[in-house]
Amino acid sequence: MKDVQFGELPFLKFNRAVYSCMYSPDGSTFTVDLSGGNIDVFATSNWEKTWRLNGHGNNVTSIGYSPNGDRIVLCSNDSTMRIWDVATGECLYIFIGHTDWVVGTAFSPKGNVVASESHDGTARLWDLETGDCHYFASGCGYIYTMAFSPKGDTIAVGSGDCRVRLFDVASRECRSILIGHTSWITSIAFSTQGERLISVGFNEGARVWEVTTGTCQHILRKIESPVISPRGNQIASYRDWGGNEIDLWDIETGLCVRRLSGHDRDILSVVYSPQGDQIVSGGYDNTVRLWDVETGECRHTMTGHTSYVKMVMFSPKGDHIASVSNDMTVRLWNVGSGASRKIPNHHRGDVTGLEYSRKRNQIASSSFDSTIRLWDAETGVCIHPLTGHSGYVNKIAYSPDEDQLVTCCRDRTIRLWNVESGACRLILTGHTSEVNDAEFSPQGNQIASAGDDKTVRLWSVETGGCQRILAGHSRGVWVVKYSPQGNQVASTGYDGTVRLWDVQTGDCQHTLIDHSGSIESIVYSPDGNQIASASNDTTVRLWDVKTGECSNIFIGHQLGATHVVYSSRGDQVASASCYDKTVRLWDMESGECRHTLVGHEKDIYAIAYSPSGNLIASWSNGGEVRLWDVETGDCCWKFSYETTPQAVGSFLLHNFAWMSSESPSFITGDRDGSVRVWDVVVEGDQCRVRMRWRSTNGQLGLEDACVQDVQGLSYLNKRLLKQRGATGEPNLRQRETGKKVMSVASVVSRLKSSSTDTEALS
């Protein structure tokens, strides 16, 4: 297994030169451009070839997918352009009209028009419904580059007369001419929103233009081969000849903000990840390098090519990298589930909060390292690292529409983030001490926060203004909750009271004072008629929201109760004690303790009912997870992995969360900064759990592997191991979907662990 790398996938070997390759927009197919006009299409599920597209009489110069991925456009030195059906491999159209090589092509964002550029000095638009061809650029010299605007209403053309022309796609009229370059235009690109355009002149640098006015905003003299970031706020550039460094430029200021150094020889290809937090590069030193945009650090160097790397790319989700080399191979790397990624996607401090967005299939995590990270729940890719807080992040919460995220911190601020872009929308200031909790109202138009300054504050989501200050607690407030109806807020803290506030007036409606110790947890019932509180006085109390009277007292914990939750139906309450290490299930009608769940050896820091309500999970210090059957009280699954114990008194850590009810899965977070996603399979009275991925500390080295009779080895891993020299034949018995094969017959290997990765274990 010489030079095996964790995260490496089987490489694709060809018997002729590979010119380029491309992922489909959904990542399901992968197209490879080979010499001689041959195009191979692969299914990325198993990396088997599905079609070979041939018909061009000469080399293919450009390939492109339609926006929905169902068609491929190819242009060629034979002066033609062809449209192919991805599903059937059939040629749908042959566009004839150019009189010289067709060197560039692109689908419009809507997919109804294809543009082409040719050595004959013309650019054309082809209507895919009618087949009509329209000239839109001619007589301006050799056309070197073109690009559609994000909306598809404009197409920009860079030509040999040193000008950039903007054409209206519908009328094909020239809207404006951008003048300023002194040499021919080698490349152009629109910003994400289309408000800016970046153009590069040969040996003269780049210009940033304001599209509406045609004004040149910046001249970046040292830029060659620019690549614009997905957010449109940054440019990565490298020198075409004699350059082994990548410069990152801020588009707003025109300044170089970072330089990425590490390649030993010239760089040939640079690409941003779809999330914009990483860059991959390849060049004449035969390596592929993965960079962190925020820090400029090279987190991994991927080796294996025996000749120069001429093209690199990310998959649409950013979880895979493909690299094309002069050695006639395409190498594939799994960097989302992780292995070779080695990016600091893990937190560098305790994970303090976890939230799941069903709408986006996304996870948000917060940490003592002052950052928030948004993860793709399926792949483990870190979509956005959210930075700006200057202290421990205590709480995170999605808005009801899941388009925004609120965070609060020891730095006395609350921040409101746009989930799609990762941008901070608003910074809410006013608390004079640490902010312990924050959450959205059910309507999503207001945020409530609780602080050590003894106050609860209500904020406008639209403006960020403070609408009310709710004062009354005699000590710091650490928990705040909206009622399900949103008309009331409950708060509690160090003073041992629960206060119920009217959201409209700001009046304190009731002060609940019967506990004799500090209150660690409060929660509204699903119907909003009751509130439950867990206290250090060992009791759990139920309160009538309208009257403020205590309607029930649950007595049973030997030491302080630190957590309380309602079942989804509201017919049961679960409580946990960090101190006596038990979970208790209480019947709402009788007040009796139905089950006492015993088994944890360390402090319990989280409990939560599953979305379907048939399971309850408990999570303890040191990394032990237990799933309990609610009906019987039996522990149906437990797992413990080594992790650093949480600090004593960390009752406010929200480091456990269930995901969707369709496929029971849950998320855990640890003090080592790792986030893990687990999948649950219930079969009769048995419960199986497997880890989907984790962002943690771990590298894998593998030597002298024998895979004889191994069960559950995937087809792709078999191919990789065989390519890497593993001996023996695995047992490729079909696995049932969603179930984990628990036995491995024979594996001879040496595993070494260290460093930092996101690790997929499925």
Side-chain angles (χ1 to χ4, degrees):
M1 301 296 290
K2 180 177 172 56
D3 298 325
V4 69
Q5 297 180 72
F6 192 19
E8 184 180 355
L9 295 175
F11 58 84
L12 309 177
K13 177 69 175 176
F14 301 92
N15 59 6
R16 60 181 71 197
V18 183
Y19 290 152
S20 65
C21 57
M22 178 178 283
Y23 279 95
S24 63
D26 64 359
S28 62
T29 64
F30 184 81
T31 299
V32 180
D33 177 11
L34 303 171
S35 63
N38 295 300
I39 303 293
D40 286 351
V41 181
F42 293 82
T44 58
S45 58
N46 56 13
W47 289 101
E48 289 291 332
K49 185 168 68 176
T50 56
W51 307 110
R52 167 159 286 188
L53 313 180
N54 50 31
H56 283 292
N58 209 325
N59 288 338
V60 170
T61 55
S62 178
I63 59 177
Y65 275 93
S66 61
N68 62 8
D70 64 341
R71 294 178 178 181
I72 295 173
V73 60
L74 308 175
C75 62
S76 169
N77 290 350
D78 65 6
S79 306
T80 70
M81 188 167 60
R82 293 171 183 252
I83 309 291
W84 303 80
D85 186 284
V86 173
T88 65
E90 296 179 356
C91 181
L92 301 176
Y93 307 104
I94 303 175
F95 293 143
I96 300 173
H98 284 294
T99 58
D100 206 335
W101 293 3
V102 185
V103 293
T105 184
F107 274 96
S108 66
K110 293 182 180 179
N112 60 329
V113 174
V114 174
S116 62
E117 60 181 276
S118 170
H119 278 185
D120 64 12
T122 68
R124 302 179 183 222
L125 293 176
W126 308 81
D127 190 301
L128 292 185
E129 293 183 2
T130 65
D132 293 342
C133 171
H134 302 283
Y135 290 92
F136 71 93
S138 61
C140 53
Y142 186 89
I143 296 174
Y144 286 90
T145 181
M146 64 181 182
F148 279 101
S149 65
K151 293 182 179 179
D153 58 344
T154 302
I155 187 166
V157 173
S159 57
D161 65 358
C162 311
R163 287 166 168 76
V164 177
R165 289 172 170 81
L166 304 182
F167 291 87
D168 182 272
V169 172
S171 67
R172 300 177 298 284
E173 294 180 357
C174 183
R175 285 179 173 176
S176 60
I177 302 176
L178 310 181
I179 300 174
H181 284 288
T182 57
S183 63
W184 65 84
I185 313 301
T186 59
S187 63
I188 53 179
F190 281 93
S191 62
T192 309
Q193 301 300 320
E195 76 281 9
R196 293 189 181 99
L197 184 139
I198 294 89
S199 59
V200 179
F202 180 73
N203 279 342
E204 66 158 306
R207 290 175 179 254
V208 180
W209 307 86
E210 207 282 320
V211 171
T212 304
T213 64
T215 304
C216 180
Q217 295 180 319
H218 300 296
I219 301 175
L220 310 177
R221 295 292 184 189
K222 298 181 180 180
I223 281 191
E224 296 181 37
S225 303
V227 182
I228 193 166
S229 68
R231 296 186 190 180
N233 63 334
Q234 191 180 77
I235 294 173
S237 71
Y238 60 97
R239 293 176 61 189
D240 286 332
W241 300 102
N244 60 359
E245 295 176 321
I246 303 166
D247 289 331
L248 304 184
W249 302 80
D250 184 276
I251 288 181
E252 198 64 41
T253 64
L255 299 176
C256 181
V257 295
R258 200 160 289 110
R259 175 164 288 175
L260 314 182
S261 302
H263 281 286
D264 297 329
R265 299 180 63 190
D266 292 4
I267 295 169
L268 296 176
S269 182
V270 169
V271 177
Y272 278 94
S273 67
Q275 297 79 24
D277 62 334
Q278 304 169 80
I279 283 175
V280 62
S281 60
Y284 277 111
D285 61 4
N286 302 353
T287 68
V288 177
R289 293 176 185 260
L290 202 54
W291 309 85
D292 182 85
V293 169
E294 184 179 348
T295 65
E297 185 177 359
C298 180
R299 288 300 183 176
H300 192 51
T301 301
M302 290 166 271
T303 60
H305 286 298
T306 58
S307 187
Y308 61 84
V309 179
K310 51 189 175 182
M311 187 177 190
V312 292
M313 71 190 61
F314 280 95
S315 64
K317 284 189 174 183
D319 54 343
H320 291 83
I321 287 173
S323 57
V324 177
S325 170
N326 193 52
D327 63 10
M328 298 191 290
T329 67
V330 175
R331 287 188 175 264
L332 307 166
W333 316 86
N334 184 340
V335 295
S337 57
S340 57
R341 186 168 191 174
K342 288 177 66 176
I343 302 220
N345 278 342
H346 63 291
H347 289 289
R348 293 185 175 90
D350 300 36
V351 176
T352 58
L354 292 168
E355 290 287 329
Y356 176 69
S357 165
R358 179 178 178 180
K359 171 182 173 180
R360 297 176 178 273
N361 196 25
Q362 183 184 90
I363 295 165
S365 62
S366 61
S367 170
F368 282 173
D369 68 3
S370 306
T371 70
I372 303 96
R373 295 183 181 270
L374 305 183
W375 311 82
D376 184 294
E378 186 62 32
T379 65
V381 170
C382 181
I383 302 167
H384 293 301
L386 310 182
T387 59
H389 281 299
S390 57
Y392 292 176
V393 180
N394 289 326
K395 179 69 183 298
I396 54 176
Y398 280 100
S399 60
D401 62 9
E402 301 178 15
D403 291 335
Q404 298 184 81
L405 192 76
V406 65
T407 61
C408 63
C409 180
R410 281 192 177 181
D411 64 8
R412 306 179 183 181
T413 69
I414 300 124
R415 287 178 179 251
L416 197 59
W417 309 83
N418 181 291
V419 173
E420 183 68 30
S421 66
C424 180
R425 274 195 59 236
L426 295 168
I427 302 176
L428 314 182
T429 59
H431 280 288
T432 59
S433 190
E434 178 176 353
V435 186
N436 296 313
D437 198 8
E439 74 170 35
F440 283 94
S441 65
Q443 293 77 25
N445 61 343
Q446 191 178 72
I447 290 170
S449 61
D452 274 351
D453 60 4
K454 309 175 188 177
T455 69
V456 173
R457 295 174 185 249
L458 305 182
W459 310 82
S460 167
V461 169
E462 183 178 355
T463 67
C466 182
Q467 298 173 321
R468 297 193 182 280
I469 300 176
L470 312 181
H473 284 285
S474 60
R475 299 182 66 186
V477 187
W478 58 26
V479 180
V480 63
K481 298 287 183 184
Y482 275 97
S483 66
Q485 295 77 23
N487 61 336
Q488 188 181 76
V489 165
S491 60
T492 191
Y494 297 94
D495 64 5
T497 69
V498 179
R499 291 179 179 261
L500 306 183
W501 309 86
D502 185 282
V503 169
Q504 292 296 321
T505 65
D507 295 336
C508 181
Q509 297 172 314
H510 301 290
T511 302
L512 316 180
I513 58 175
D514 289 354
H515 280 296
S516 59
S518 63
I519 298 171
E520 309 292 344
S521 177
I522 58 173
V523 62
Y524 276 96
S525 61
D527 60 13
N529 293 328
Q530 284 185 328
I531 194 166
S533 58
S535 170
N536 264 335
D537 66 8
T538 74
T539 69
V540 174
R541 292 176 182 256
L542 304 184
W543 310 82
D544 185 281
V545 168
K546 291 183 179 180
T547 65
E549 295 180 356
C550 180
S551 58
N552 215 333
I553 305 175
F554 298 152
I555 300 174
H557 284 292
Q558 301 303 305
L559 297 171
T562 52
H563 297 84
V564 62
V565 292
Y566 277 92
S567 64
S568 58
R569 294 190 298 271
D571 59 341
Q572 191 179 82
V573 166
S575 62
S577 170
C578 175
Y579 306 108
D580 70 13
K581 305 176 180 59
T582 67
V583 178
R584 293 174 184 263
L585 306 184
W586 308 88
D587 185 270
M588 290 290 296
E589 292 187 5
S590 65
E592 295 180 355
C593 179
R594 292 186 56 194
H595 300 292
T596 301
L597 314 182
V598 180
H600 282 289
E601 297 180 357
K602 296 183 178 180
D603 301 346
I604 298 173
Y605 279 128
I607 57 171
Y609 282 95
S610 65
S612 60
N614 63 325
L615 298 172
I616 190 167
S618 55
W619 165 256
S620 74
N621 198 359
E624 183 183 22
V625 185
R626 286 177 177 257
L627 298 185
W628 310 83
D629 185 290
V630 170
E631 188 64 32
T632 65
D634 295 333
C635 179
C636 51
W637 181 80
K638 64 178 180 178
F639 180 77
S640 180
Y641 52 87
E642 184 178 351
T643 184
T644 309
Q646 301 280 5
V648 174
S650 300
F651 308 131
L652 298 181
L653 296 181
H654 307 272
N655 46 19
F656 182 98
W658 284 95
M659 292 168 63
S660 65
S661 57
E662 289 82 3
S663 55
S665 304
F666 59 88
I667 320 156
T668 59
D670 298 315
R671 196 181 183 189
D672 66 2
S674 67
V675 175
R676 291 170 166 86
V677 172
W678 308 78
D679 294 317
V680 181
V681 178
V682 179
E683 300 170 326
D685 58 353
Q686 291 189 343
C687 181
R688 297 183 181 182
V689 180
R690 68 178 181 90
M691 192 189 299
R692 185 187 303 178
W693 57 262
R694 63 180 176 178
S695 66
T696 186
N697 299 332
Q699 238 184 54
L700 181 64
L702 186 61
E703 300 175 359
D704 304 327
C706 173
V707 294
Q708 184 66 38
D709 297 331
V710 170
Q711 295 182 8
L713 187 64
S714 72
Y715 174 72
L716 285 181
N717 283 334
K718 176 196 173 186
R719 283 178 59 188
L720 174 63
L721 292 171
K722 287 295 186 180
Q723 285 179 348
R724 285 300 193 172
T727 61
E729 282 298 322
N731 183 343
L732 294 180
R733 184 179 64 188
Q734 181 69 30
R735 289 186 292 177
E736 294 181 55
T737 303
K739 299 178 183 178
K740 182 179 179 182
V741 175
M742 304 300 290
S743 63
V744 175
S746 173
V747 177
V748 181
S749 62
R750 298 200 298 273
L751 303 179
K752 304 173 182 178
S753 293
S754 64
S755 198
T756 61
D757 300 306
T758 304
E759 200 173 297
L761 302 183
S762 57

